[in-house]
Amino acid sequence: MTDKTSSIESILNYVKDKKIKFVDFKFMDFPGQWQHFTVPVTQLNEKSFAEGYGFDGSSMRGWKAINESDMLIIPDPETMLLDPFIIEPTISIICDVYEPITREKYSRCPRHIAQKAEAYLKTTGLADMCYFGPEAEFFIFDDVRFKSAPNTAFYEIDSVEGRWNTARDEKPNLGYKPRYKEAYFPVPPTDALMDLRNQMVTTLIDMGVNVEAQHHEVASGGQSEIDLKFQPLVKAADQILLFKYVVKNTARLNNKTVTFMPKPILDDNGSGMHVHVSLWKNEKPLFAGSGYAGLSEMALYFIGGLLKHAKSLCAFANPTTNSYKRLVPGFEAPVNLAYSQRNRSASIRIPMYSDNPKSKRVEFRCPDPSANPYLAFAAILMAGLDGVKNRIDPGDPLDKDIYDMPPEELQNIPSTPESLKQALKELANDHDYLLQGDVFTEDVIRTWINFKMEKEIKPMSLQPHPYEFALYYDI
């Protein structure tokens, strides 16, 4: 009996024992949101894990035309969880997307791309495991309103923690509003979200997610972070999606709302998704050594690959127009492409908390939580491997506070793209490293660029911005 067969049998027994009524199938669309549909438990049997379930692929963003819309999802039995947010007893299973005619995994399925990246790593012989430890920051708000129409455009967000509310009549206003850029991290009552984050963490742990810590983040207005223990690439991406699902739904149960939008508040810190990466082989860490910051030669070459391809990586790691409102100097944003030990003003940091070789890792600080984690993690791995294979020298480290450096020194340090459009241009010109092992394909790259241009960049360029009225109305 294989482990997979055992997992399927375990699921069918669990469904029977726990009197489960529904099965919710979750899968990833191209831009980066979980999608789902649900079947009565009577529709689940052993054949379900081989034959799958059909759905309309033409309704998924960036996927099929209407004349070729039939697609399949096939459940991954190792991802089954009890869903705590659905009233009727419901299990949730993550699925892979397949072509119904060829019965092959769909080339634009982000989870498939991540799976190919893991498989490609093993074929290189360099390592057999890549661990990812993402830290996705987010904002917890009490209210959000927005509208974009031919004659109006606005947004308004609010938080009981918002520093902008110090004068609001709250009957009574108790005054505990974290100062801008100073919310990392005072104790309650200034931190008003402690119990809510604990509730989120409890739910994550109950669902089998290994949580390391939770805390308030730097920005006023409810910025928070919950750290998850590192996992292999595909599982790390699966967990980020589960993490978002739990955080959003827990907030909703408490009449609050969560956003992973990178920069929802003006003049305060945005939300990043710092990604910790390490390579292993035969259960031994490969990034520990006698080089700079205790790194191995492999780790330094991995950094070299990240720095060489960082601008094109941003097309996947920072994939929204809003991402580049976070990537600006002055808000701890890693806009300068350099590496350093301990230094959070560098785009690549080597954490120095422990001298245990198993803890030695590289922290890539550019990404943000709007990223599709399957695509972002796969691209990060491919860039790092390109550095290792081609022995790309990362240059000298930068152990200064980059934000305090004089302009004549800063001009020699490359920086991240200033816009999503620029990042996509970088991707168009620099993506051969992503094509190795057929992990990404030319079709995936082209479709990603075209989708972002047509659905996000062009509409944004046509929309008058509210601040333009402040600048230009009286011209």
Side-chain angles (χ1 to χ4, degrees), residues 300-460:
L300 289 168
Y301 289 144
F302 194 95
I303 291 172
L306 290 179
L307 291 175
K308 178 180 178 180
H309 301 297
K311 293 185 178 183
S312 61
L313 275 177
C314 285
F316 290 113
N318 307 88
T320 66
T321 59
N322 184 255
S323 297
Y324 298 88
K325 292 178 171 60
R326 165 185 171 255
L327 288 179
V328 295
F331 297 91
E332 294 188 20
V335 295
N336 296 292
L337 299 177
Y339 74 102
S340 175
Q341 62 181 356
R342 303 176 63 187
N343 190 347
R344 283 175 166 78
S345 65
S347 61
I348 296 176
R349 185 177 76 98
I350 300 91
M352 302 297 291
Y353 298 123
S354 170
D355 57 3
N356 187 335
K358 293 183 178 180
S359 298
K360 189 56 65 177
R361 61 199 187 272
V362 169
E363 179 189 7
F364 187 40
R365 295 175 61 80
C366 292
D368 68 56
S370 69
N372 181 326
Y374 297 113
L375 300 182
F377 296 170
I380 289 169
L381 174 59
M382 297 302 288
L385 287 179
D386 188 62
V388 176
K389 289 191 301 179
N390 294 294
R391 303 175 68 86
I392 297 174
D393 186 347
D396 295 329
L398 194 63
D399 290 330
K400 302 178 181 180
D401 184 345
I402 298 175
Y403 300 131
D404 287 339
M405 290 174 62
E408 58 271 19
E409 289 188 60
L410 270 176
Q411 67 182 4
N412 297 319
I413 302 174
S415 60
T416 54
E418 294 181 357
S419 68
L420 177 58
K421 186 175 183 179
Q422 184 183 344
L424 294 174
K425 287 182 178 179
E426 296 286 350
L427 178 62
N429 294 326
D430 176 30
H431 62 260
D432 285 350
Y433 68 99
L434 297 172
L435 305 179
Q436 301 302 305
D438 197 40
V439 174
F440 287 76
T441 64
E442 287 284 4
D443 171 71
V444 166
I445 301 295
R446 182 174 60 252
T447 302
W448 183 261
I449 292 172
N450 291 342
F451 179 88
K452 290 290 176 178
M453 288 295 299
E454 294 298 321
K455 300 297 184 181
E456 299 178 30
I457 293 173
K458 286 185 178 180
M460 277 289 292

Side-chain angles (χ1 to χ4, degrees), residues 11 23-26 49 75-77 79-80 91-95:
I11 290 173
V23 183
D24 193 57
F25 298 118
K26 295 182 174 67
F49 296 89
D76 180 347
T79 65
M80 189 276 289
I91 59 169
S92 170
I93 308 178
I94 299 174
C95 302

Side-chain angles (χ1 to χ4, degrees), residues 135-188:
E135 300 174 351
E137 298 165 350
F138 55 96
F139 279 87
I140 302 171
F141 293 136
D142 293 289
D143 188 63
V144 57
R145 295 182 298 123
F146 51 89
K147 183 177 182 179
S148 180
N151 69 320
T152 186
F154 81 95
Y155 72 89
E156 186 170 345
I157 54 180
D158 206 2
S159 165
V160 69
E161 282 195 350
R163 188 66 179 179
W164 55 87
N165 283 326
T166 54
R168 184 170 65 177
D169 184 5
E170 295 180 348
K171 303 187 186 305
N173 188 324
L174 301 179
Y176 296 112
K177 318 288 185 186
R179 299 177 187 87
Y180 298 112
K181 300 188 184 183
E182 293 186 24
Y184 185 90
F185 27 50
V187 299

